[in-house]
Amino acid sequence: MAIHNEIGEKGEALAKAFLEKKGYEILSTNYRFKKLEIDIIAIYQNQLVVVEVKTRQSPYLAGPEDTVSKTKQKGIVKCANNYITENEIDIDTRFDIISVILNQKGTKIEHIEDAFYPTV
């Protein structure tokens, strides 16, 4: 497995543990619809929370949260719509980003709630 894939998997595992510690109920990880994927889907305070995890070794140039383009956002929303329909979910939904920085200095996790809103 490529190193960037290992780093990504480690970041997703850390993000999942971070959310669980905060009281989130994890419903799904790495949910796929066609070629689209959602890293984490959870329930928190009667909201469906769709989470994109971005992991990097350095915050320089662009933070992980800055790399979630409008195109990526649209794909996440489309994938979430499929999950919601497939599972007959009828509660409010929000889209979060968890930024994970992993390097020699340690681990930094930042949770950005309502990081973006669905656009048509």
Side-chain angles (χ1 to χ4, degrees), residues 30-75:
N30 303 112
Y31 173 78
R32 293 184 183 278
F33 171 64
K34 297 184 179 181
K35 293 183 178 182
L36 305 170
E37 181 184 26
I38 296 172
D39 295 325
I40 300 171
I41 301 172
I43 295 273
Y44 184 69
Q45 297 180 343
N46 203 35
Q47 271 192 322
L48 185 72
V49 183
V50 177
V51 182
E52 174 70 8
V53 180
K54 287 296 182 183
T55 307
R56 298 286 183 272
Q57 292 181 303
S58 170
Y60 301 109
L61 297 177
E65 68 279 1
D66 297 327
T67 64
V68 183
S69 68
K70 292 290 182 192
T71 301
K72 177 71 173 175
Q73 291 175 19
K74 287 180 182 181

Side-chain angles (χ1 to χ4, degrees), residues 72-104:
K72 177 71 173 175
Q73 291 175 19
K74 287 180 182 181
I76 292 168
V77 170
K78 186 175 182 177
C79 194
N81 283 337
N82 188 75
Y83 183 87
I84 290 165
T85 301
E86 190 176 85
N87 292 280
E88 299 178 357
I89 294 173
D90 188 22
I91 57 176
D92 289 339
T93 302
R94 77 170 200 242
F95 296 86
D96 294 2
I97 296 172
I98 293 185
S99 167
V100 180
I101 305 294
L102 296 171
N103 58 33
Q104 307 88 319

Side-chain angles (χ1 to χ4, degrees), residues 97-116:
I97 296 172
I98 293 185
S99 167
V100 180
I101 305 294
L102 296 171
N103 58 33
Q104 307 88 319
K105 295 179 184 177
T107 301
K108 179 182 175 193
I109 298 175
E110 181 181 3
H111 183 186
I112 304 160
E113 296 180 9
D114 286 317
F116 62 91

Side-chain angles (χ1 to χ4, degrees), residues 1-16:
M1 177 183 299
I3 294 210
H4 70 277
N5 289 339
E6 290 176 21
I7 291 168
E9 285 182 9
K10 186 172 182 182
E12 288 177 18
L14 288 167
K16 180 182 173 198

